Amino acid sequence: MFPSVFSGGIIAKAVRHGLLDVQVHNLRDYATDKHQQVDDRPFGGEEGMVFKPEPVFAAVEAVRGSAETAVYLLSPSGRRFDDCLAREMAGRPRVVLICGRYEGVDERVSGNLVTDEISIGDYVLTGGELPAMVVIDAAARHIPGVVGKEGSVRKESFADGLLDYPQYTRPRDFRGLTVPEVLFSGDHKKIEVWRRRKALEKTRRRRPDLLARLSLSPEDRMLLDETQEERNEQ
Ligand code: 4FV
């Protein structure tokens, strides 16, 4: 699954430029029994299979390079993955991601081998591979040089804890749907204030939880209040 996902686009370019290296390891190669068994029936009975601890420990200990290397298990019961964790990972020289399958991984892995468990969302997937790709893609974008225009990474959603402001491009009039005039004013300060207000508005409307986490400047408060007043007038 990994080569196909990372064979194109920004991540593939980053790998070509040596900014990032993604190594995929098959757990079966670390299973010592003749059938290279990596999973078994859950103790206590129940449907499904569970990943055995031995191949996982052997694989991680073989590839982590140093005990300092962070090891993450992708699982629905993990810490919610977000931009902050993506930035944290981008700052590390090496990260090991464990992808489970079936009902999950023997709990002794989580209790004794991993730095932390990570979840990409409150739903159950068939495997940890897709979450691992999400994590790699999001973290890689914070590696200097991976996303060409550094500026765009600095100013995007979540960079300052807010959702992104609306973006527009040509045509100026699409089926009568026009673009806000301020964007043609050439007044960069005015455009910057408009974008800030729009980002604040959208965040209050769609993700009030994010706004609650922020200590807003008096200017931001004023922008939000203005919007509220306008809305009340409507
Ligand atoms: C998952 C998630 C996830 C659970 C059992 C793989 C599956 C199977 N991982 N965020 N949501 N994992 O659903 O990270 O092992």
Side-chain angles (χ1 to χ4, degrees):
M1 295 168 71
F2 289 82
S4 53
V5 169
F6 293 133
S7 59
I10 285 178
I11 305 292
K13 199 173 88 209
V15 170
R16 281 199 307 281
H17 293 167
L19 296 169
L20 173 71
D21 180 31
V22 180
Q23 295 297 327
V24 184
H25 308 274
N26 188 336
L27 276 171
R28 285 204 194 287
D29 301 342
Y30 297 89
T32 50
D33 64 298
K34 68 178 177 316
H35 305 297
Q36 291 188 302
Q37 190 176 354
V38 295
D39 60 306
D40 204 339
R41 300 205 160 293
F43 280 133
E46 192 185 72
E47 284 314 300
M49 300 294 271
V50 173
F51 266 19
K52 293 165 60 60
E54 307 98 316
V56 178
F57 273 75
V60 170
E61 286 157 359
V63 305
R64 69 186 307 170
S66 105
E68 295 348 293
T69 300
V71 177
Y72 296 103
L73 169 64
L74 286 304
S75 100
S77 49
R79 161 187 171 187
R80 177 56 72 81
F81 183 63
D82 61 10
D83 192 59
C84 167
L85 187 45
R87 289 165 190 276
E88 184 196 307
M89 270 191 199
R92 292 176 176 278
R94 175 191 288 249
V95 168
V96 175
L97 301 175
I98 303 171
C99 305
R101 277 268 152 184
Y102 320 119
E103 305 324 302
V105 179
D106 184 287
E107 190 63 20
R108 290 165 285 187
V109 168
S110 190
N112 304 281
L113 183 65
V114 306
T115 312
D116 206 345
E117 287 188 41
I118 295 177
S119 170
I120 63 165
D122 297 344
Y123 36 79
V124 178
L125 300 163
T126 59
E129 293 79 11
L130 292 173
M133 294 171 192
V134 167
V135 165
I136 293 168
D137 190 290
R141 298 180 75 261
H142 292 298
I143 297 170
V146 168
V147 174
K149 304 175 289 316
E150 294 310 320
S152 68
V153 172
R154 239 198 332 278
K155 280 208 308 307
E156 66 190 11
S157 293
F158 310 109
D160 53 5
L162 294 177
L163 299 182
D164 216 349
Y165 49 75
Q167 301 274 11
Y168 297 87
T169 186
R170 285 181 291 199
R172 188 165 177 169
D173 180 313
F174 173 68
R175 299 181 181 173
L177 304 170
T178 56
V179 175
E181 280 310 312
V182 64
L183 296 176
F184 303 103
S185 66
D187 176 337
H188 295 297
K189 184 66 194 141
K190 213 164 145 203
I191 292 170
E192 195 186 321
V193 170
W194 178 86
R195 283 176 167 168
R196 183 75 182 171
R197 181 152 69 86
K198 284 297 177 183
L200 287 161
E201 274 174 20
K202 187 194 282 189
T203 308
R204 176 173 54 190
R205 199 171 50 251
R206 295 192 183 159
R207 294 292 308 278
D209 59 302
L210 291 175
L211 217 52
R213 279 192 227 153
L214 289 178
S215 55
L216 294 177
S217 68
E219 294 75 22
D220 283 341
R221 287 227 157 283
M222 201 178 57
L223 288 174
L224 273 173
D225 299 344
E226 268 171 21
T227 319
Q228 195 57 48
E229 279 139 34
E230 278 161 20
R231 187 156 313 137
N232 300 344
E233 278 142 24
Q234 270 152 29

